[in-house]
Amino acid sequence: MRNGDDMTDPDRKQQAAAPSRSRSVVRAMLWATVPVLLVVQLLASAGVEASSFWSQIRQLDARIARTAESRAELIAEPLWKMRYDQVTSVLNEIMHDETIAAAAVYDDTGVAIARVVARPADQAVSEVSRPIRYSNGNIAVQAGRIAIAYSYATVYTDTGSRLLLLLVVGLLATFATLIAMRISANIFIGKPLTAIMSAIQRSKQDGRAYPADIKSTNEFGQLARAFNAMQHTTSGALDRLGHMAAHDPLTGLPNRRSLSEHLVTLSGDAGSPDSLIAFCFIDLDDFKGINDTFGHDAGDKFLVHISERLRDAVEPQDWVARLGGDEFVVIRPEVSNEATAQAFARQLLDAISEPIRLHDKQVVPRASIGLAVRRAGDPELSHLPALADIALYHAKSKAPGTVAVLDEALQRDYRRRRDLELAIPAGFAEGQFEVWYQSQVDLESQAVVGLEALIRWRHPELGLIGPGEFLPLIERSGNNARLTRYVLTDACRALQRLASAGRPQIRIAINLPPSELADHSLAAELRATCARFDVAASLLELEITEGSLINNIASASETLHRLRRLGATIALDDFGTGYSSLAHLRRFPLDKVKIDKAFISEIPDSAEDKAIVGVIASLAGTLGLTLVAEGIERPEQADAMREMGVMLGQGYHYHRPQPLDAVLQWLEKQAVPTETSRVLAGSPSIAPEFAA
């Protein structure tokens, strides 16, 4: 087994790459500097030589001119006296100058008297011409002229030789400079950069800080010391960031990111692929109530208490994490069987359920646990959070405060819920959702005074699905508003058909989900839909629950007032099962209260339920609210409701929910009221209200 400091081949390649990158800096510097240095040297040398060249040219021109003048004086008398052999002799004397190519003497008529050619002119030559004057005291005449042709070849040759020499010397000097610069650059730049790059590469490999070993006091030494200090600081910060990234800042427990890593580690470290792993997904019940009652600071303190209890309740080999909010995970890496895992989960529930003191009040925490047990070698091990969440969903919805163990039935239910949730868009697009209607009757006259719109889903494969199964999925998928508008449109169409069937006085009640009370555009859409079907908004009754009211009191109150101003009736549904606060009955613009069927089912046998309904009826009468009893299934229940002052009834005793066509056929068999019933006459006014 290799030591921790051993490096793999890729590591060595990275280490080797660091010096090459630092040397490339030196090469780049040399390639940028040396050509400039060479050019500067050559230009300087060329400038000096050019100056020297032109100086020699001027000197040669002056010397030839002096020669021509001196020889003109010597040959003046021989030329005048026609002693031409002497003239030629004088010309021959100057031919010893290697720069002179030829010389000629002309008489005063321009005839060449003497001509001497030293060598053939193989390149361009220059010529100097001077007049020859003769004077003997009696006369002074111009006897002729002398012309000398000369070449700059010697000057060119000397200059070229010197330039070549300077080029060689410049190249040698540049090469020597290159070597000196390379050595100094490697010492003062390359090695410090190599040391810093090596430290960076090693640090990237394992995340630890490696100081750059540079002893110099120059700028690179200062840079290395600053780099080392920065690495030390950064290393500590990275350690803290790494811990923060993998742990919950409130409780210090591992977080969701750590969970995935731990499951991979757990699968690899399991002693046997057949060993069982217990995965407990914990969700606190009504944690929102803790925050709402005691405040978020107390809620944080509450979560810290829960995390400490979970730590204390597990063994050293167990693993505890907080995934966020009020969700925790506890993993026991080895259990003997599923029963042992269930016993462990119940121990966790017992530990959580110990009272906690918040603001000098004792609070008893409650939680639900979804338990999934899988073998260490199971390919679904990475899916444990999702599998346990399926069981947790069952515990929260069916029996809060308990442990639910994942089994095939729960997985089938989950797959069905998932398939239904995915099919919701197609359900809307293809018109699979159907609106059925159930009658509301006057308990005294037995006349039908209203219908409640109830949604059903006719799935092409699964058949007819009840609202209890798919409405939570509609809400979770964010389609509440779409469904409300769907039902509203169908209800307005139904009002049209009711009017055509001679039943224009029948109202239709629509259930509003809590989210709709926060939508201030609902009133405008209701008005527009009623106008499109030419029906009165006063024929619509909007049913809400107490829970939807208290979630956002200000927004709900504003929305309800807008709906009331349009003329719609507002009914409080399922009264008695929620918060049942008198403040809610007084604060909101309510017209009706619907008594939940839970209080009706045991009447008239249950004296307690009769007493509760009697109190509700008395309260409604005091506040001027119309009472509706839901779930009437037997004649004696209807009689009891009527005796206690309940005006309207709804239930299977009168009519089961049916599609509109069936309802219209049923209504044809019912007697049409000849006059307004006492219920309508005694109900609160629902004429449109206008703001002052």
Side-chain angles (χ1 to χ4, degrees):
M1 187 173 179
R2 295 186 178 183
N3 295 327
D5 293 336
D6 289 350
M7 293 188 299
T8 61
D9 290 339
D11 296 336
R12 292 193 182 93
K13 291 178 181 178
Q14 289 184 354
Q15 291 283 3
S20 67
R21 282 193 289 270
S22 64
R23 285 196 297 270
S24 68
V25 175
V26 175
R27 280 199 297 269
M29 183 189 69
L30 294 178
W31 278 109
T33 305
V34 171
V36 175
L37 178 63
L38 179 59
V39 169
V40 169
Q41 287 182 343
L42 291 178
L43 289 176
S45 300
V48 172
E49 283 303 315
S51 177
S52 175
F53 172 77
W54 290 113
S55 177
Q56 292 182 49
I57 292 294
R58 288 192 297 272
Q59 291 176 4
L60 178 59
D61 291 341
R63 181 164 61 80
I64 297 301
R66 289 195 300 271
T67 300
E69 291 174 355
S70 64
R71 294 305 181 266
E73 293 178 359
L74 290 176
I75 63 176
E77 184 176 350
L79 176 60
W80 181 255
K81 295 181 178 181
M82 299 184 188
R83 295 196 287 269
Y84 297 138
D85 54 341
Q86 292 182 11
V87 173
T88 302
S89 176
V90 172
L91 292 180
N92 286 331
E93 290 178 1
I94 65 174
M95 288 298 106
H96 298 296
D97 191 337
E98 61 183 3
T99 62
I100 296 176
V105 175
Y106 303 90
D107 61 11
D108 55 351
T109 62
V111 177
I113 302 302
R115 183 189 299 273
V116 179
V117 179
R119 59 192 63 80
D122 56 356
Q123 57 185 328
V125 295
S126 296
E127 181 178 302
V128 172
S129 177
R130 291 291 185 270
I132 302 175
R133 294 183 177 83
Y134 173 73
S135 174
N136 60 4
N138 295 321
I139 60 172
V141 296
Q142 182 170 333
R145 64 183 182 86
I146 183 173
I148 301 176
Y150 61 96
S151 170
Y152 298 126
T154 303
V155 178
Y156 289 152
T157 302
D158 291 345
T159 301
S161 298
R162 285 194 299 272
L163 282 175
L164 180 61
L165 179 61
L166 286 173
L167 177 62
V168 172
V169 172
L171 289 174
L172 292 175
T174 302
F175 183 70
T177 303
L178 174 63
I179 294 175
M181 288 181 65
R182 172 128 189 169
I183 293 173
S184 61
N186 276 331
I187 293 174
F188 298 111
I189 299 177
K191 288 184 178 179
L193 286 180
T194 299
I196 294 175
M197 289 299 298
S198 176
I200 293 174
Q201 292 296 332
R202 295 176 66 191
S203 178
K204 286 172 62 178
Q205 290 172 11
D206 55 19
R208 292 187 295 170
Y210 291 93
D213 187 14
I214 300 174
K215 305 299 184 183
S216 63
T217 58
N218 59 14
E219 289 83 351
F220 275 102
Q222 297 174 15
L223 175 62
R225 285 190 290 275
F227 170 78
N228 294 339
M230 181 187 69
Q231 267 211 326
H232 178 74
T233 303
T234 303
S235 177
L238 289 175
D239 290 341
R240 291 190 296 273
L241 286 174
H243 184 273
M244 290 172 61
H247 290 77
D248 172 47
L250 177 63
T251 63
L253 293 174
N255 59 13
R256 188 180 297 273
R257 175 182 175 183
S258 297
L259 175 60
S260 302
E261 299 173 355
H262 184 72
L263 288 176
V264 174
T265 304
L266 199 61
S267 178
D269 293 346
S272 167
D274 293 329
S275 60
L276 294 177
I277 296 173
F279 188 99
C280 299
F281 203 139
I282 304 170
D283 186 271
L284 302 179
D285 296 334
D286 196 28
F287 176 67
K288 183 179 183 300
I290 298 293
N291 277 333
D292 292 343
T293 304
F294 299 99
H296 289 278
D297 290 340
D300 289 346
K301 180 181 177 183
F302 183 82
L303 292 174
V304 171
H305 277 299
I306 297 298
S307 68
E308 291 172 350
R309 289 182 178 182
L310 291 175
R311 283 193 184 102
D312 295 338
V314 301
E315 300 295 332
Q317 72 272 16
D318 299 333
W319 194 78
V320 183
R322 180 190 176 210
L323 302 190
D326 57 350
E327 295 180 342
F328 294 84
V329 162
V330 178
I331 301 176
R332 174 153 283 185
E334 283 194 40
V335 292
S336 56
N337 51 47
E338 188 175 287
T340 306
Q342 291 186 52
F344 171 61
R346 285 192 291 270
Q347 290 175 9
L348 296 177
L349 278 185
D350 293 340
I352 291 173
S353 300
E354 290 294 326
I356 294 176
R357 184 166 292 276
L358 295 175
H359 292 179
D360 295 329
K361 294 184 179 180
Q362 277 197 341
V363 178
V364 179
R366 295 192 59 184
S368 302
I369 296 182
L371 173 64
V373 181
R374 285 291 183 272
R375 299 192 180 279
D378 196 319
E380 287 190 338
L381 196 64
S382 61
H383 301 155
L384 271 176
L387 296 173
D389 192 35
I390 296 172
L392 177 62
Y393 179 88
H394 178 78
K396 296 285 286 186
S397 59
K398 303 298 182 183
T402 62
V403 177
V405 183
L406 180 72
D407 55 21
E408 288 299 324
L410 290 183
Q411 288 186 275
R412 283 195 301 272
D413 290 344
Y414 170 77
R415 285 192 289 269
R416 178 180 170 93
R417 289 197 309 274
R418 185 60 180 158
D419 291 343
L420 287 177
E421 191 168 1
L422 293 174
I424 287 174
F428 280 110
E430 298 172 8
Q432 297 173 11
F433 293 102
E434 299 178 1
V435 183
W436 290 15
Y437 295 90
Q438 186 180 29
S439 63
Q440 293 179 354
V441 301
D442 182 339
L443 294 180
E444 188 69 33
S445 67
Q446 303 299 305
V448 177
V449 296
L451 299 174
E452 181 177 0
L454 302 170
I455 192 71
R456 299 291 186 268
W457 186 356
R458 193 175 296 279
H459 194 279
E461 297 174 2
L462 303 177
L464 196 64
I465 304 172
E469 183 175 3
F470 69 81
L471 283 182
L473 305 179
I474 293 280
E475 181 177 1
R476 192 167 70 177
S477 64
N479 284 287
N480 267 342
R482 188 175 185 181
L483 183 63
T484 300
R485 278 110 184 113
Y486 188 93
V487 175
L488 175 61
T489 301
D490 197 273
C492 288
R493 188 181 294 113
L495 287 172
Q496 272 189 332
R497 296 186 64 184
L498 285 169
S500 300
R503 299 280 185 161
Q505 80 284 0
I506 293 180
R507 297 176 183 164
I508 292 183
I510 299 173
N511 290 281
L512 288 185
S515 59
E516 288 301 280
L517 294 183
D519 186 357
H520 293 167
S521 67
L522 176 62
E525 293 194 25
L526 184 142
R527 181 173 58 245
T529 305
C530 288
R532 180 154 55 96
F533 289 93
D534 193 24
V535 297
S538 59
L539 292 175
L540 289 174
E541 183 175 297
L542 306 176
E543 296 186 1
I544 58 176
T545 61
E546 288 182 272
S548 63
L549 291 179
I550 69 165
N551 286 335
N552 192 338
I553 292 176
S555 180
S557 178
E558 183 178 351
T559 299
L560 292 179
H561 278 93
R562 290 183 179 184
L563 294 171
R564 275 291 300 274
R565 284 194 288 270
L566 293 176
T569 304
I570 308 298
L572 184 63
D573 198 10
D574 299 335
F575 186 77
T577 61
Y579 299 89
S580 302
S581 171
L582 297 179
H584 299 154
L585 297 179
R586 296 174 60 239
R587 181 179 302 175
F588 298 101
L590 301 176
D591 300 302
K592 288 184 179 181
V593 173
K594 300 185 72 173
I595 305 172
D596 188 80
K597 61 184 179 182
F599 300 104
I600 310 298
S601 60
E602 300 298 327
I603 290 178
D605 299 328
S606 173
E608 181 179 337
D609 286 345
K610 288 181 67 175
I612 292 174
V613 173
V615 171
I616 295 175
S618 175
L619 176 63
T622 302
L623 296 176
L625 300 174
T626 300
L627 269 185
V628 182
E630 295 182 300
I632 296 177
E633 297 182 355
R634 302 188 305 275
E636 56 267 26
Q637 291 174 336
D639 294 340
M641 292 299 103
R642 186 170 56 253
E643 291 173 1
M644 286 186 285
V646 178
M647 296 182 179
L648 303 181
Q650 178 179 344
Y652 288 176
H653 173 61
Y654 300 106
H655 181 228
R656 290 178 177 270
Q658 290 180 311
L660 182 62
D661 289 338
V663 172
L664 291 174
Q665 292 176 9
W666 176 76
L667 285 174
E668 286 180 2
K669 302 174 184 178
Q670 307 298 314
V672 179
T674 57
E675 60 182 11
T676 304
S677 71
R678 68 171 184 87
V679 175
L680 293 179
S683 297
S685 171
I686 54 173
E689 301 173 3
F690 297 95

